[in-house]
Amino acid sequence: MATTITYYKLRKIKDRIVSGWVKTMVGLVLLLPVVIAISLLSKSWLILGHSGLSELLFSSVWRPLAGEFGFWPFIISSVWVTFLGLIFTAPICLLSAIYLTQYGSKRLLGMMQPVIDILAGIPSVIYGVWGILLIVPAVGSFLAPLLGIETSGFSILAGGFVLAVMLIPFILNILIEIFRTVPRDLFEASLSLGASKWHTIKHVLLGKTFPGIISAFGLGLSRAFGETIAVLMVVGNVVAIPKTIFDPGYPLPALIANNYGEMLSIPMFDSALMFAALLLMAIVILFNIFSRWAIIHFEKKQ
Amino acid sequence: MMWWRKFEERLFYVLMIFSTASLVILLLVILLSIFLKGVPYLSWEMVSQTPKGGYYFGREGGILNAIVGSLYLSAGAVFLALVFSLPLALAMNIHMRTYKRTLHVIRFVLDLLWGIPSIVYGAFGFTLMIYLGIKASLLAGIITVAIFILPIMVRAMDEVMKNVPVTLLESAFSLGSTRTEVAFKVMLRQTLPGIITAVLLAFGRGIGDVASVLFTTGYTDNIPTSLFQQTATLPLAVFFQLGSPIPEVQNRAYAAAVILTLIILIISIATRLLGRGYNKTRIN
């Protein structure tokens, strides 16, 4: 009898300890984004005191050695590359998601899943190498001469193109999930009224899932905004506001990644780069929150 | 207008098939261009030696330092992340199963963390490194990558654990099991293949990422022998060597890219095979 009681106590104590451990982990993870934000903010305090938020964001003079830090060229480059990436990737994602969920068989979807997974798993540096091997020459010595433009190929366009390919698996997976949730009977009601299949897809499926589609692209956008190495490798990295998509650009993540070596010697530069990271995080989190809110809203309506 | 509708239907059908096919074509083009460019420069020397003197001017040596460094880094990060993510996933699905609202918040935060770009984790890891007073090293890299893959791991485990039938857990509870026993003897055993899949997924993410280790691991030609030494990683080896003006060094970058791609492909196939086995043995 005594042994059963101690055994029981032992189990209880073990449970207490493990439960404590488990709950601490929950607390830690909930604190993590706050800790990241605070540490980046404290690091960028120096530059914020030095040159005010609006000057940092909207000035286009970038001379770190003279103490002038204007992030505008980088923000514009980031916006251009992200925007192009989304434009290129949107039709492919939408059309394939519709085909895979509405026309294709289950087997086809099963066969395509590994393809999507492998595309998603390829590291960004490999996408970068591929971009240098194929996309940059294609832009520089094929597309640009066709339009009569001089460019090295390392351009916003190349960055957007590589980014578009990287976004495909990410957005496509979300779209497939969303299209699957549409109830079958809605579809059949439309078909039985004499609408064609495409007509039904256009009005019922796309209409019904519109908020979901928007948030899928919102999530894609926030992923695109932070993509570093692949874009850095093909985008040219020249500090100037790009005028056309054949000009080189210099997105925010590339700025942080490229200047790591030099930043340590100048405190203000170090602070500026940490501010860039904070800015990136803020933008990404904003888009994330907006998209997730839209998705939750959409699920509630279903 | 009938002809227009028919035409529209046909047109979009063709476009849809075209874009679905383009996914396969894209994957093949990417893999082929990497392999065709890199495989000719691949040699036994590449994978079995560390860089010798003059390596960066095209002399002999290999990238064993980067291969081993990457494996150390990812394995360490996965292990560290597992210590945090496994209890978290278990807590979410056993201890807090009924707290729907709290669960929503946790999943939301995890998704947010997943969305934060790796370069931000790199910058955070760098500041953390300074606060803790450690230099760029394998340890700093492991900590940074662990934080970066943590949300991926938890969410992947959570997805599997969510699907374990409540009845199974409840029957264990009704027999007098404590939560810990349910967690480790029922939940863990039920979802083990799924957990291994999550680990592999995180491993693949960790081994392929540059931006998070750029600030934190440094780069060295030696294989690290302690946690406090700098280490080379495979993606960084690709990145650095590609930036060299010397063609021999660039070619080695392409070969390194082939090795990295092969590692990722192996992980991907392993994940798939495990997933299949998991579907076969699952109770529900």
Side-chain angles (χ1 to χ4, degrees):
Chain A
M1 192 62 196
T3 51
T4 12
I5 289 172
T6 48
Y7 178 62
Y8 175 73
K9 267 190 183 158
L10 199 70
R11 283 174 61 205
K12 262 289 202 230
I13 292 167
K14 225 161 91 185
D15 187 48
R16 282 267 170 77
I17 294 170
V18 173
S19 296
W21 174 40
V22 144
K23 279 173 189 160
T24 321
M25 295 299 136
V26 174
L28 279 181
V29 165
L30 288 181
L31 275 178
L32 191 56
V34 183
V35 171
I36 295 178
I38 288 178
S39 78
L40 291 180
L41 186 65
S42 75
K43 273 286 197 170
S44 41
W45 207 246
L46 189 63
I47 188 101
L48 281 167
H50 172 260
S51 43
L53 188 61
S54 68
E55 195 200 320
L56 282 177
L57 290 182
F58 300 117
S59 158
S60 52
V61 185
W62 178 260
R63 276 186 303 193
L65 295 176
E68 287 182 87
F69 300 95
F71 282 100
W72 191 240
F74 306 102
I75 296 173
I76 287 292
S77 291
S78 272
V79 170
W80 267 107
V81 173
T82 306
F83 183 68
L84 276 182
L86 275 184
I87 295 271
F88 291 145
T89 208
I92 294 194
C93 287
L94 272 175
L95 288 169
S96 341
I98 295 174
Y99 187 76
L100 287 174
T101 53
Q102 309 302 327
Y103 289 86
S105 61
K106 263 218 162 99
R107 244 188 84 213
L108 180 74
L109 187 59
M111 268 154 49
M112 288 302 286
Q113 204 64 55
V115 174
I116 301 173
D117 285 351
I118 293 176
L119 274 175
I122 295 177
S124 58
V125 72
I126 299 293
Y127 277 108
V129 172
W130 173 69
I132 288 178
L133 283 176
L134 228 66
I135 301 299
V136 170
V139 170
S141 35
F142 178 70
L143 197 61
L146 215 62
L147 301 168
I149 300 167
E150 282 282 324
T151 171
S152 63
F154 290 93
S155 57
I156 297 271
L157 182 64
F161 213 88
V162 170
L163 198 53
V165 178
M166 299 182 69
L167 285 179
I168 288 176
F170 183 73
I171 297 179
L172 186 57
N173 267 332
I174 307 177
L175 284 181
I176 289 176
E177 280 303 307
I178 288 171
F179 287 162
R180 271 187 182 159
T181 60
V182 175
R184 202 65 226 162
D185 25 337
L186 269 176
F187 239 82
E188 264 141 37
S190 168
L191 289 175
S192 69
L193 288 171
S196 69
K197 186 153 186 180
W198 172 248
H199 206 70
T200 305
I201 286 169
K202 202 165 84 180
H203 294 283
V204 177
L205 181 76
L206 295 186
K208 195 92 182 116
T209 55
F210 188 68
I213 295 171
I214 292 296
S215 64
F217 285 107
L219 289 177
L221 190 147
S222 73
R223 164 113 336 171
F225 218 84
E227 180 45 50
T228 311
I229 290 298
V231 176
L232 182 157
M233 287 165 87
V234 297
V235 84
N237 303 327
V238 173
V239 188
I241 296 176
K243 293 186 188 67
T244 70
I245 52 174
F246 289 98
D247 286 342
Y250 206 156
L252 272 176
L255 170 75
I256 307 173
N258 266 338
N259 289 292
Y260 158 67
E262 292 120 78
M263 73 187 199
L264 279 172
S265 46
I266 313 164
M268 197 61 82
F269 197 7
D270 177 34
S271 179
L273 292 187
M274 289 303 165
F275 174 72
L278 183 68
L279 188 63
L280 205 60
M281 180 175 166
I283 295 171
V284 165
I285 284 197
L286 263 170
F287 270 103
N288 247 294
I289 288 181
F290 166 74
S291 313
R292 308 236 175 244
W293 174 80
I295 269 194
I296 290 166
H297 213 69
F298 159 74
E299 273 171 359
K300 266 192 195 139
K301 254 171 65 182
Q302 285 289 307
Chain B
M1 287 316 272
M2 201 56 205
W3 68 270
W4 167 250
R5 276 206 186 167
K6 282 229 162 104
F7 174 71
E8 191 188 332
E9 177 128 25
R10 291 294 314 161
L11 177 72
F12 274 96
Y13 189 67
V14 172
L15 283 178
M16 274 187 271
I17 290 183
F18 181 75
S19 68
T20 308
S22 77
L23 300 179
V24 183
I25 295 168
L26 262 175
L27 180 63
L28 288 179
V29 166
I30 293 171
L31 292 182
L32 268 180
S33 56
I34 296 288
F35 280 106
L36 285 181
K37 185 78 189 176
V39 167
Y41 306 110
L42 212 56
S43 62
W44 180 241
E45 195 192 347
M46 275 288 294
V47 294
S48 63
Q49 287 181 20
T50 55
K52 297 278 169 357
Y55 173 79
Y56 295 102
F57 300 103
R59 305 262 182 74
E60 60 238 38
I63 51 160
L64 184 67
N65 59 329
I67 299 174
V68 175
S70 257
L71 291 177
Y72 278 172
L73 179 75
S74 306
V78 160
F79 180 74
L80 186 59
L82 195 61
V83 174
F84 287 82
S85 59
L86 187 63
L88 183 57
L90 286 172
M92 284 165 69
N93 289 288
I94 291 173
H95 297 70
M96 311 174 75
R97 192 156 198 137
T98 48
Y99 305 147
K100 289 277 178 250
R101 195 156 281 205
T102 321
L103 275 181
H104 266 304
V105 175
I106 297 177
R107 291 199 175 113
F108 189 77
V109 170
L110 284 171
D111 286 344
L112 276 191
L113 284 172
W114 192 336
I116 295 176
S118 57
I119 186 98
V120 174
Y121 283 106
F124 172 66
F126 183 69
T127 58
L128 200 67
M129 217 167 78
I130 292 170
Y131 283 131
L132 295 178
I134 46 177
K135 293 206 181 81
S137 60
L138 184 57
L139 179 67
I142 286 177
I143 294 174
T144 310
V145 175
I147 298 175
F148 159 63
I149 59 179
L150 179 76
I152 301 172
M153 226 156 153
V154 180
R155 281 301 265 144
M157 288 182 194
D158 181 40
E159 283 304 315
V160 192
M161 291 185 182
K162 249 190 335 200
N163 291 328
V164 170
V166 193
T167 46
L168 194 67
L169 306 178
E170 274 170 359
S171 53
F173 278 127
S174 70
L175 291 172
S177 306
T178 61
R179 288 173 301 182
T180 308
E181 284 159 351
V182 174
F184 286 94
K185 291 187 179 154
V186 181
M187 186 62 107
L188 197 62
R189 213 169 273 186
Q190 256 308 292
T191 55
L192 196 59
I195 290 169
I196 296 172
T197 312
V199 166
L200 282 176
L201 185 76
F203 188 83
R205 265 295 133 84
I207 209 168
D209 194 68
V210 184
S212 60
V213 296
L214 200 56
F215 298 155
T216 46
T217 57
Y219 199 87
T220 164
D221 286 350
N222 304 317
I223 295 172
T225 49
S226 95
L227 278 174
F228 300 99
Q229 285 177 357
Q230 300 204 349
T231 180
T233 58
L234 208 40
L236 262 183
V238 177
F239 182 60
F240 283 158
Q241 295 183 58
L242 206 56
S244 157
I246 298 162
E248 282 87 3
V249 181
Q250 280 189 12
N251 291 339
R252 282 181 187 146
Y254 295 126
V258 171
I259 297 172
L260 181 58
T261 312
L262 279 177
I263 293 178
I264 294 292
L265 284 179
I266 291 169
I267 293 175
S268 181
I269 291 167
T271 314
R272 196 139 280 280
L273 289 179
L274 263 170
R276 193 171 295 164
Y278 169 60
N279 281 338
K280 245 182 243 162
T281 53
R282 197 158 61 167
I283 291 183
N284 56 326

